Amino acid sequence: MKVDNDYIQQAIIAREIVDLYRNSPDKYEVAESLSSLCFAMARLTNCDKVDYPTIDWDDLASNFDGIATSQSDVSAVRKIENDIASTYEKSLKIIKQHNYRPIT
C-alpha cells in the first residue's frame, strides 16, 4: 500500500467529513451535501480504479446518500452509520499509524 502525504490527507478529510455529520443537528440535510462531496472525492482520487483505495469515497458517498434518502427508516440509518463509523476508525488508524502532526 502506497503511503504518502496524499494517503494521510485523505484519511484526515474522511475523519473531518464524518465529524461534520456526527456534529450536525440536521443529519439528513447534511448527509445529502456530504454525499456529493464524497462523490467528488471519489472522482478526484480515482478510487474506483485502485484495488485498495485509502478511503473508498464511492462507498462513503453511497452511505451518506442512503441516510439522506432513508429519513423514515431508523434501522437502515443505524446500519449505515455503523459503516460510516468503520470508515472513521480506518481514518483514525491511518492518521495514528503515521504519527501525523499538522503543521502549525
Side-chain angles (χ1 to χ4, degrees):
M1 183 179 299
K2 181 178 149 187
V3 177
D4 60 14
N5 194 46
D6 289 346
Y7 179 84
I8 296 166
Q9 296 305 317
Q10 282 190 55
I12 292 167
I13 291 167
R15 180 194 63 195
E16 293 300 319
I17 286 172
V18 174
D19 280 342
L20 283 170
Y21 171 75
R22 287 179 173 173
N23 296 326
S24 68
D26 185 350
K27 294 196 182 322
Y28 300 108
E29 186 175 316
V30 83
E32 188 174 348
S33 295
L34 295 177
S35 172
S36 298
L37 180 61
C38 291
F39 184 77
M41 285 297 298
R43 304 295 68 83
L44 284 171
T45 61
N46 290 319
C47 80
D48 57 340
K49 295 182 171 95
V50 178
D51 288 336
Y52 299 102
T54 304
I55 301 297
D56 189 335
W57 294 104
D58 277 326
D59 191 41
L60 198 54
S62 294
N63 285 333
F64 285 121
D65 187 55
I67 290 171
T69 59
S70 299
Q71 293 184 21
S72 61
D73 190 349
V74 175
S75 64
V77 169
R78 295 292 173 244
K79 182 187 178 311
I80 294 168
E81 285 177 338
N82 287 337
D83 291 343
I84 290 171
S86 295
T87 300
Y88 188 82
E89 291 302 318
K90 178 182 179 182
S91 298
L92 289 179
K93 183 178 178 181
I94 291 168
I95 294 164
K96 288 177 184 176
Q97 192 174 43
H98 301 288
N99 297 317
Y100 177 78
R101 301 279 188 267
I103 298 171
T104 55

